[in-house]
Amino acid sequence: MIPSATPELPDLAGMTLVDVEALVARLGWPKFRSEQVWRWVHDKGARSFDEMTNLSAAQRGELATHTRVGSLTVAEVQTSRDGTQKLRLVTRDGFSIESVLIPDGEKTTQCISSQVGCAVDCQFCATAKLGLKRNLDASEIVDQVYLGRKLLADAGPERRITNIVYMGMGEPLHNYDNLIRSLQILTHNLGAKLSQRRITVSTSGLVPKLERLGNELVRPNLAVSLNAANDAIRDEIMPINRKWNIAKLLGALRAYPLEHRRRITFEYVLLAGVNDSLTDAAQLARLLRDVKCKVNIIPYNPHPEAPYARPSDAAVDAFQNECKRLGMATYLRRPRGDDIDAACGQLANRAQGGAAIVPLRIRKGPPPAPAVD
Ligand code: SAH
Ligand code: SF4
């Protein structure tokens, strides 16, 4: 069992409109109140009952005995020289999580976390070193977006969140029910109104959950952290591969119902001397030749807990050029916010006090498969 947040009054941010309708019916209020209450939190971003001015003081009081608003508080906002902002957010039971706002022309993408830490233990990832502390509940996933939205709104009218990526701390498919609930809430047309086409869920490849995701009504874009073109290397750097190897992963992805003109994104973190040779590029091209996909190449972002290095720019270019020559749609992901440790794989809240960071052990033999289902 993965621990969840301590039970307390439910946060309206984690409630669907159907949940609010049920609550309003229980309170004996007229049905139209459901939409009013829902809009305050999900559309207008209210963070207290006092803001709900079309409810009477008595009604606000009654609502406050059954629910609360606001699961996270902003502890720190760091701004990178490239405009990327990293938010350190604190849960009600005192965990820090991180979320990143990445401006890109007219667009702003928010990268959100799905767990405190992660159980998957990828060898190159800073979040992995925390271990898994607990799942975020749906309100904590959604509240990251509402706080990001507020930060942008306070800065001026010209920027708003256009895209969401579940690429922060944690493995979203390992927190499946809260992931789905958060997607239902964020895409609701009376709330944040984010299009599912502008939401991407990134996974290390939990095959049974990928199969389940394919049957959901709300289906985001899919990004899959492949990071190796053969099982020997993937076993070594992503122990989850010992449970669901590349063949099983690609089998599930081939069966995944992709909508018209949608492609799967593969992420490939380039680690110097590990997976960055031209032979790796050729193997990758062979592996993905019949998959509707594109490949995002992410040069490794260093952090002190992992024994890897970023390849030289020339090696990165050579790898990408070989992929392109072999017909793969490949894109190079520039590191964003790396001066504030906000780039891919660097989210580990050192502000957590370091207590959770376990020292890196040099293992003899292959690493064990993680205990994720
Ligand atoms: N758990 C999910 C989403 C969070 S990790 C997943 O693994 O997909 C988001 C991305 O960051 C993944 O593609 C992962 O491969 C990449 N990543 C992790 N550590 C990294 C690092 N140190 N440098 C660059 N990318 C990294
Ligand atoms: Fe978890 Fe993703 Fe990091 Fe792997 S890369 S440890 S799955 S957060």
Side-chain angles (χ1 to χ4, degrees):
M1 271 291 282
I2 309 167
S4 292
T6 3
E8 50 182 344
L9 289 180
D11 185 347
L12 284 166
M15 291 169 75
T16 62
L17 184 53
V18 174
D19 296 331
V20 176
E21 281 167 354
L23 173 69
V24 161
R26 253 194 304 137
L27 297 175
W29 294 2
K31 189 163 187 243
F32 73 89
R33 292 283 180 210
S34 325
E35 202 176 302
Q36 284 181 333
V37 171
W38 164 274
R39 277 185 185 272
W40 274 118
V41 176
H42 299 274
D43 179 24
K44 299 180 192 156
R47 300 199 67 79
S48 76
F49 293 106
D50 290 344
E51 292 168 61
M52 303 183 182
T53 46
N54 54 7
L55 300 181
S56 68
Q59 286 170 322
R60 282 181 246 156
E62 208 178 346
L63 204 53
T65 62
H66 292 85
T67 59
R68 62 186 163 88
V69 259
S71 283
L72 302 172
T73 47
V74 181
E76 196 181 353
V77 179
Q78 282 176 277
T79 304
S80 156
R81 55 179 171 244
D82 68 16
T84 300
Q85 288 181 300
K86 182 166 79 169
L87 283 63
R88 184 165 70 80
L89 307 170
V90 180
T91 65
R92 287 163 68 90
D93 55 350
F95 285 111
S96 286
I97 56 164
E98 290 173 336
S99 179
V100 183
L101 291 166
I102 308 155
D104 184 12
E106 306 261 278
K107 288 196 319 184
T108 295
T109 299
Q110 186 172 9
C111 176
I112 59 175
S113 294
S114 55
Q115 297 181 308
V116 185
C118 184
V120 179
D121 201 22
C122 301
Q123 298 296 290
F124 46 81
C125 173
T127 307
K129 306 304 170 201
L130 295 170
L132 177 63
K133 298 300 169 203
R134 71 163 171 82
N135 278 334
L136 294 181
D137 66 24
S139 69
E140 293 167 323
I141 298 176
V142 165
D143 211 23
Q144 294 171 63
V145 179
Y146 294 173
L147 285 168
R149 179 174 68 178
K150 188 169 178 327
L151 190 78
L152 291 194
D154 290 349
E158 64 287 348
R159 271 178 65 203
R160 63 186 181 85
I161 293 163
T162 54
N163 297 63
I164 299 284
V165 292
Y166 287 70
M167 289 185 189
M169 301 170 73
E171 167 50 60
L173 295 189
H174 195 199
N175 186 12
Y176 191 84
D177 293 344
N178 287 311
L179 165 69
I180 298 299
R181 175 174 277 262
S182 67
L183 289 169
Q184 288 164 346
I185 293 171
L186 291 172
T187 54
H188 200 287
N189 61 6
L190 297 177
K193 304 179 198 68
L194 285 153
S195 155
Q196 58 178 354
R197 301 186 76 90
R198 290 176 174 266
I199 301 181
T200 300
V201 170
S202 178
T203 178
S204 56
L206 274 68
V207 165
K209 296 289 161 55
L210 276 172
E211 289 163 356
R212 228 175 120 186
L213 188 64
N215 293 316
E216 297 288 348
L217 285 177
V218 48
R219 237 178 308 124
N221 298 311
L222 208 55
V224 178
S225 302
L226 186 60
N227 297 335
N230 64 57
D231 283 326
I233 298 177
R234 199 163 190 267
D235 279 354
E236 190 58 41
I237 61 176
M238 297 183 71
I240 196 167
N241 199 64
R242 306 197 141 256
K243 198 156 183 178
W244 296 293
N245 64 17
I246 293 179
K248 287 182 188 155
L249 177 59
L250 290 185
L253 294 175
R254 284 196 188 91
Y256 190 82
L258 277 182
E259 271 169 39
H260 185 55
R261 297 175 65 179
R262 290 228 241 178
R263 300 184 281 182
I264 288 169
T265 301
F266 286 101
E267 291 151 299
Y268 194 99
V269 178
L270 267 190
L271 306 166
V274 176
N275 63 359
D276 64 340
S277 71
L278 299 188
T279 314
D280 290 302
Q283 253 185 352
L284 190 62
R286 254 199 319 282
L287 197 65
L288 301 182
R289 65 176 174 253
D290 63 345
V291 186
K292 252 174 79 182
C293 67
K294 61 174 177 160
V295 177
N296 277 351
I297 296 172
I298 315 173
Y300 170 67
N301 293 311
H303 60 90
E305 286 92 38
Y308 299 108
R310 181 184 293 184
S312 66
D313 290 351
V316 172
D317 285 348
F319 186 88
Q320 187 184 18
N321 289 339
E322 184 67 357
C323 290
K324 283 190 169 158
R325 193 182 71 77
L326 295 168
M328 263 192 289
T330 34
Y331 301 86
L332 188 60
R333 278 252 291 272
R334 285 175 297 132
R336 296 293 307 266
D338 54 349
D339 54 326
I340 53 166
D341 282 349
C344 283
Q346 292 186 319
L347 303 185
N349 340 104
R350 290 180 177 90
Q352 207 117 231
I357 297 180
V358 296
L360 186 77
R361 290 189 307 273
I362 306 298
R363 292 194 182 92
K364 294 213 172 71
V372 288
D373 53 22

